[in-house]
Amino acid sequence: MYAFDEKYCLQQFQNLLAIDSTLGQFREISDYIEQEMDRMGFPWFETHKGGVIATFGGEKEPLVITAHLDDIGLMVRKINADGTLNVCPVGGLAPFYAVMENVRVHTRDNKVYTGTICRTPNSIHVTEEELRQVAPDFRKNVCVVLDMPVKNPADVRALGIETGDMIALEPRFTMSGGYLKSRFVDDKACVATLLTVMKYIKDNNIKLERKVYAYFSCYEELNHGTSWVPADTRDIIAIDIAPTGPDQNSEEHKVSIFCKDSRHPYHWDLTNELRAAAMAGKVDFVMDVFTPHYGSDGNTAVIAGHDVRHAAIGPDTSNSHGYERTHIDGLNNTYQLVLNYLKAAQPVQMGVAE
């Protein structure tokens, strides 16, 4: 097994969580990744829409390993008559997974206000019995209440808040017994894992013969994160969460190799190569299928028409798109699989496995 810098991985995860990056709000988090690439000494460039692509390998058989920077969240749809905010989801955020969460409202003038996602009415003691049974709905009975003394739309607009402003949910990270609990494990825990892989390669002066791109994408949650990839790309592997559930093989201590999702099967040969690498490295893994509501940047590039082999792997994670939970073992196993695959994919000595 390769040495896993757990402290670095967890610190990177928390650093990333501290940066709000609701879909389309990429500037601050892209800057952070670029600074980390500079610190490690990897060359990088930025895509027109905000993704960051760094190179940390050689020249042959170019491989893209991608993890996404964007988070699901909300956007101000309109300002209600009482000064609350009517909101719409950006990405796959369900109302029942969002009610009573604390939020930050980001205006287009770079002001930030806090608030809470609330039901309407918002107090159970003064809610009629029939209304208690109604499911939360962003269009009808869920709003954002600002932590400001606003009573009407004029008060809200005086703050600089308007339709189209972004709303980020509080991650609420905590860790106990090795379990990581937070919003946005999808996909900031995977970004942290990829950064940890790159740190190992840098610290150990590993020279890869295969050219490897680290693609920190934006807009994965809207299904076009890797719709463009470098022209020489031969393979693409996404690192993304593997949802747990009653019909799934995935469980939080393992890494999953994705066989299929709601779009189509992943490339047979590439998934077999990943499976062989996992077995050779004694990685704790499972093969799994994710339907009916899952997709990744692993197949976005294929759907866009690129002639690449595609695959996806990732730490097994519960409560997807809600208050998510995984285990540090899942991050470690994902890390081990990536390094073992890179070792198997090219003949240059990877350094001493520990």
Side-chain angles (χ1 to χ4, degrees):
M1 301 291 281
Y2 294 95
F4 176 55
D5 193 338
E6 179 179 319
K7 181 178 179 181
Y8 174 84
C9 188
L10 290 174
Q11 187 60 62
Q12 286 296 337
F13 182 38
Q14 291 175 79
N15 291 349
L16 294 162
L17 289 173
I19 303 172
D20 291 336
S21 55
T22 309
L23 274 158
Q25 195 180 5
F26 62 83
R27 183 69 276 146
E28 185 178 356
I29 199 161
S30 292
D31 286 348
Y32 177 83
I33 292 295
E34 290 162 9
Q35 292 164 10
E36 191 64 15
M37 295 302 98
D38 287 341
R39 193 191 68 77
M40 286 196 277
F42 293 122
W44 58 269
F45 66 93
E46 188 173 303
T47 68
H48 290 303
K49 63 184 177 185
V52 180
I53 300 180
T55 307
F56 66 99
E59 298 298 328
K60 295 183 178 180
E61 299 292 315
L63 163 69
V64 166
I65 302 178
T66 183
H68 66 89
L69 302 173
D70 50 306
D71 298 330
I72 57 175
L74 298 169
M75 180 180 282
V76 179
R77 187 176 184 276
K78 67 175 183 178
I79 303 171
N80 296 324
D82 62 356
T84 61
L85 305 178
N86 179 265
V87 296
C88 56
V90 183
L93 180 63
F96 62 87
Y97 265 166
V99 171
M100 304 312 298
E101 189 62 85
N102 290 323
V103 300
R104 287 182 286 272
V105 180
H106 292 258
T107 76
R108 292 181 181 269
D109 296 321
N110 298 317
K111 297 177 181 177
V112 181
Y113 298 95
T114 61
T116 306
I117 304 171
C118 293
R119 287 286 300 267
T120 305
N122 58 32
S123 294
I124 195 72
H125 292 89
V126 291
T127 300
E128 298 296 337
E129 186 61 34
E130 61 270 20
L131 294 179
R132 295 187 186 194
Q133 311 307 316
V134 177
D137 188 323
F138 288 129
R139 297 167 299 174
K140 300 175 181 179
N141 60 2
V142 174
C143 65
V144 167
V145 178
L146 294 167
D147 297 331
M148 296 293 289
V150 292
K151 302 296 183 183
N152 52 58
D155 290 343
V156 175
R157 289 193 169 96
L159 299 174
I161 296 173
E162 190 49 89
T163 295
D165 289 345
M166 286 292 190
I167 302 174
L169 280 64
E170 175 62 41
R172 292 190 289 117
F173 169 79
T174 188
M175 183 174 176
S176 180
Y179 289 96
L180 286 67
K181 296 185 290 185
S182 180
R183 289 190 180 273
F184 316 131
V185 170
D186 178 10
D187 199 34
K188 286 175 173 172
C190 298
V191 174
T193 302
L194 179 53
L195 289 172
T196 309
V197 168
M198 298 175 76
K199 180 178 183 294
Y200 181 89
I201 287 170
K202 182 67 176 180
D203 289 350
N204 291 276
N205 196 31
I206 293 168
K207 306 299 182 184
L208 300 175
E209 184 172 283
R210 188 170 191 180
K211 186 175 186 178
V212 184
Y213 295 107
Y215 193 158
F216 302 95
S217 71
C218 299
Y219 299 100
E220 187 275 347
E221 296 291 0
L222 289 182
N223 304 318
H224 64 87
T226 58
S227 55
W228 180 89
V229 295
D232 59 351
T233 302
R234 299 294 299 273
D235 297 330
I236 182 169
I237 299 173
I239 308 179
D240 211 331
I241 64 163
T244 63
D247 296 323
Q248 305 305 132
N249 292 329
S250 302
E251 59 97 351
E252 294 159 322
H253 291 259
K254 302 178 185 294
V255 57
S256 285
I257 299 172
F258 300 12
C259 303
K260 180 186 181 299
D261 62 25
S262 60
R263 296 173 185 172
H264 47 228
Y266 287 90
H267 196 278
W268 180 266
D269 290 342
L270 185 52
T271 53
N272 275 346
E273 290 172 15
L274 287 162
R275 176 176 175 270
M279 294 171 67
K282 296 182 170 52
V283 177
D284 196 1
F285 81 100
V286 294
M287 310 293 288
D288 213 345
V289 171
F290 302 103
T291 59
H293 303 294
Y294 190 91
S296 80
D297 267 343
N299 49 32
T300 298
V302 174
I303 293 170
H306 297 284
D307 182 18
V308 296
R309 303 190 308 168
H310 66 302
I313 63 172
D316 300 348
T317 304
S318 60
N319 311 321
S320 61
H321 280 204
Y323 188 59
E324 296 166 334
R325 191 181 89 155
T326 190
H327 195 277
I328 192 65
D329 290 350
L331 302 191
N332 184 15
N333 279 306
T334 303
Y335 166 88
Q336 299 295 338
L337 176 52
V338 173
L339 284 173
N340 275 280
Y341 179 72
L342 290 177
K343 179 180 179 180
Q346 49 76 49
V348 173
Q349 177 65 33
M350 284 287 295
V352 179
E354 299 183 22

